[in-house]
Amino acid sequence: MRTLLRGLMLFGLLFGTAAAWADEERAYTEGAVVSVGYVRTKYGKFDEYTRYLAGPYKQLMEEQKRTGAIVAYGVYQAYPHNPQEPDIILTVVYKNWAAMDGLRDKVDPIMKKVFGSLDSASKGAVDREKVRESLGGQILQELILK
């Protein structure tokens, strides 16, 4: 009888704990996903790179916004403390993680429209390395606090 009673008490505790976890609410909801890219322009090439950003890059981003592939984008000037820090930070905002699924299929037609072909887009990426260096990036997700 004691064993049965202990078993029922243990079951009750486990069930009560599981129910409490199920009712627990997070202090946030998941928001947008932001891709951040860090760029360092080469000496004397800042204006040349920003002309690219104001031209083809802006066209590419605006077309992606128009088609709903992205929510927003941003270009920020940073003031680096050393040569390993960026002087340009690029952001691209996606509605959520799912918006990044099949992204290449959504963006390739836009790349062709803006650059003429995917080969031209690739060549342009290589050519931009003459005026800037990519320092990497990260992907973040906004947490909207309740």
Side-chain angles (χ1 to χ4, degrees), residues 14-31:
L14 290 175
F15 182 74
T17 304
W21 284 338
D23 288 342
E24 189 174 322
E25 191 174 312
R26 296 199 188 278
Y28 62 90
T29 56
E30 295 175 339

Side-chain angles (χ1 to χ4, degrees), residues 53-86:
L53 293 173
Y57 181 80
K58 182 178 178 183
Q59 287 178 304
L60 183 66
M61 294 294 112
E62 289 294 331
E63 190 65 20
Q64 287 183 64
K65 270 179 52 178
R66 189 187 69 70
T67 63
I70 66 172
V71 174
Y73 68 98
V75 176
Y76 301 89
Q77 181 176 13
Y79 295 95
H81 296 93
N82 61 58
Q84 291 75 41
E85 292 184 350

Side-chain angles (χ1 to χ4, degrees), residues 49 52 56 111 115 117-132:
Y49 185 62
Y52 158 75
M111 297 278 279
F115 294 103
S117 71
L118 294 179
D119 285 341
S120 293
S122 292
K123 184 181 179 313
V126 171
D127 289 344
R128 279 189 298 285
E129 288 304 307
K130 296 174 186 168
V131 297
R132 58 105 168 133

Side-chain angles (χ1 to χ4, degrees), residues 81-100:
H81 296 93
N82 61 58
Q84 291 75 41
E85 292 184 350
D87 60 349
I88 300 269
I89 298 173
L90 305 173
T91 61
V92 180
V93 181
Y94 301 90
K95 183 178 179 181
N96 52 34
W97 289 105
M100 298 175 80

Side-chain angles (χ1 to χ4, degrees), residues 1 3 9 21 34 37 51 54 65 78 83 97 108 123 138 144:
M1 185 67 162
T3 306
M9 285 178 44
W21 284 338
V34 182
R51 279 193 294 275
K65 270 179 52 178
W97 289 105
D108 279 353
K123 184 181 179 313
Q138 56 189 158
I144 302 166

Side-chain angles (χ1 to χ4, degrees), residues 29-45:
T29 56
E30 295 175 339
V33 173
V34 182
S35 173
V36 182
Y38 304 108
V39 175
R40 180 64 181 242
T41 56
K42 297 202 175 163
Y43 184 75
K45 301 293 184 177

Side-chain angles (χ1 to χ4, degrees), residues 97-109:
W97 289 105
M100 298 175 80
D101 289 346
L103 190 59
R104 181 62 48 208
D105 293 336
K106 297 173 196 172
V107 174
D108 279 353

